[in-house]
Amino acid sequence: MIEVLNTPLFLTWEVTNRCNLRCKVCYNASTDMHPSEINESEASFIIDAIADCKPIFVNLTGGEPFLRPDIVKIAKRFIDKGTDPQLATNGSVYNEEMFLQMKSIGVKSIQVSFDGFEAAHDAIRGSGSFKRALKTLKFLIDNGFSAKVGTIVTRLNYLDIAEFTKYFYELGIKKLGVFRFVPTGRGRENQSLQLDADDLVWLQEKLEQLESRYGIAFFKCDHSLAVFLGKKKNAGGCELGLKCLCIKPNGDVLGCPFFPVVLGNVRETSLVKIWQDSPILKEIREDIRPERLLGKCVNCPNGIKEKCRGGCKALAYETTGSIRQPDPRCWR
Amino acid sequence: MYKRAEVKWREEGDGIFIFCPVRSEMFKLNATGRIVWAEIEKSLPDQIAKIISTEYNIDHETALKDVGICISDLVEKRLVMEV
């Protein structure tokens, strides 16, 4: 039976669509501000709506959140509300004053994206972006932030994962996020960067060895590598409809950043009401039940199906139009 | 015992979700675990067992055993630390 929580546990807020980079893997195709982006006067309302959900994890991202002039005020209001937000940045907006303001108001966790070493990273994110991100990361580490590294694994970087881990471990990073490339948004134009099923299994096993060797904590999107169960305990499947919501720059609410179906808009309907009453969410929760899954999931043991839920629902939807179909990269 | 500073939690129904942002792992405790989590920093196992025993009308020995298992689990999952 699918357990439905009273409110989402994890919330992502894409505070802006504006970005100074044009990453090939961007699921949002972020460029300029959204024409009806949540403005500064509305931001408090959004923060309060998120706080009402009592989430245990809030991720502020974009676009590039540090391009938003009021990002420090946004972060401060979250902290005043008793929620510690994490910021996810591409690291190329280097602003020491802003970083130190974040520190002074109590922001602890900032994640900087690195899609491999310099050649691979710059091939994805643009020339010079690796150096700028590294400068940002070092500043954050030196100034006592709980800095994390986030990496999107693609054909350009996955084989370097051991050296990559060692490099950042030696810099002082204790948390490394490994995210699967989900080719939506601008990523649709770069599908060849995706890893195939065998590569993902190899990667999962490699991460477990590296975790053991360095004691570094790997965290992964639930729809990601942890889908390949039996390799890591406490791994869970896709959390669409079950634990997370995403607020887009214009207030649209999605079940997950990669899943394009709009559930409502936070300007019009409370997040709690969307979570509890959205007919689309109800349908999603119905469709991800093990007995409703199709394709190769039909013959998969119940013990796995119940946790895996057919893998990444965004990818299943992107490739087949149905969340009942399996993840196209399922290794079974 | 004390809860690790980075751990976050939320009560849900009669259970509790505990999230470790360091490892991005989530755990769910049942109603017994919820009581253990609520009391772990201020009460000894024996005292926690007494609360559970009263709450659920079970014998103290069974409750104490459950508390011990729960605490060991929380330590193993690195959600709490021994003083």
Side-chain angles (χ1 to χ4, degrees), chain A residues 28-45:
Chain A
N28 263 336
S30 297
T31 48
D32 304 315
M33 272 179 65
H34 193 286
S36 49
E37 197 150 292
I38 299 288
N39 60 37
E40 188 168 338
S41 63
E42 293 175 297
S44 300
F45 166 76

Side-chain angles (χ1 to χ4, degrees), chain A residues 5 8 41 67 79 104 114 117 154 167 181 187 190-191 197 205 320:
Chain A
L5 306 177
S41 63
L67 286 176
I79 288 172
S104 72
F114 286 89
F117 288 116
T154 68
Y167 177 80
F181 172 41
N190 298 289
Q191 302 222 18
E205 288 171 345
T320 69

Side-chain angles (χ1 to χ4, degrees), chain A residues 3 6-8 54 56 219, chain B residues 8 10 12 17 24 28:
Chain A
E3 179 182 9
N6 290 326
T7 57
K54 298 183 176 48
I56 55 178
F219 57 97
Chain B
K8 299 177 188 298
R10 192 177 92 184
E12 188 78 27
F17 281 99
S24 196
K28 191 182 173 197

Side-chain angles (χ1 to χ4, degrees), chain A residues 126-173:
Chain A
S127 178
S129 55
F130 181 89
K131 285 193 166 85
R132 293 199 297 277
L134 193 60
K135 186 178 176 186
T136 293
L137 183 70
K138 285 179 176 174
F139 183 87
L140 296 175
I141 293 170
D142 291 345
N143 284 275
F145 281 91
S146 174
K148 297 180 187 177
V149 164
T151 187
I152 297 173
V153 283
T154 68
R155 296 220 149 275
L156 295 181
N157 61 22
Y158 82 109
L159 290 173
D160 291 333
I161 192 66
E163 286 303 308
F164 183 83
T165 302
K166 181 171 184 269
Y167 177 80
F168 285 102
Y169 173 76
E170 289 174 353
L171 271 185
I173 292 296

Side-chain angles (χ1 to χ4, degrees), chain A residues 3-10 53-57 84 148 174-175 217-220 222 232-234 243, chain B residues 5-15 17-28 76-78:
Chain A
E3 179 182 9
V4 181
L5 306 177
N6 290 326
T7 57
L9 281 171
F10 306 116
C53 293
K54 298 183 176 48
I56 55 178
F57 183 75
D84 292 330
K148 297 180 187 177
K174 294 183 175 53
K175 289 157 264 186
F218 286 96
F219 57 97
K220 301 167 275 286
D222 280 345
K232 183 173 170 68
K233 59 182 180 180
N234 294 324
K243 292 196 177 81
Chain B
E6 69 272 16
V7 170
K8 299 177 188 298
W9 62 91
R10 192 177 92 184
E11 294 176 353
E12 188 78 27
D14 60 0
F17 281 99
I18 303 176
F19 178 64
C20 176
V22 171
R23 298 188 308 281
S24 196
E25 288 182 323
M26 182 130 75
F27 308 96
K28 191 182 173 197
E76 191 196 324
K77 288 180 166 78
R78 292 178 285 166

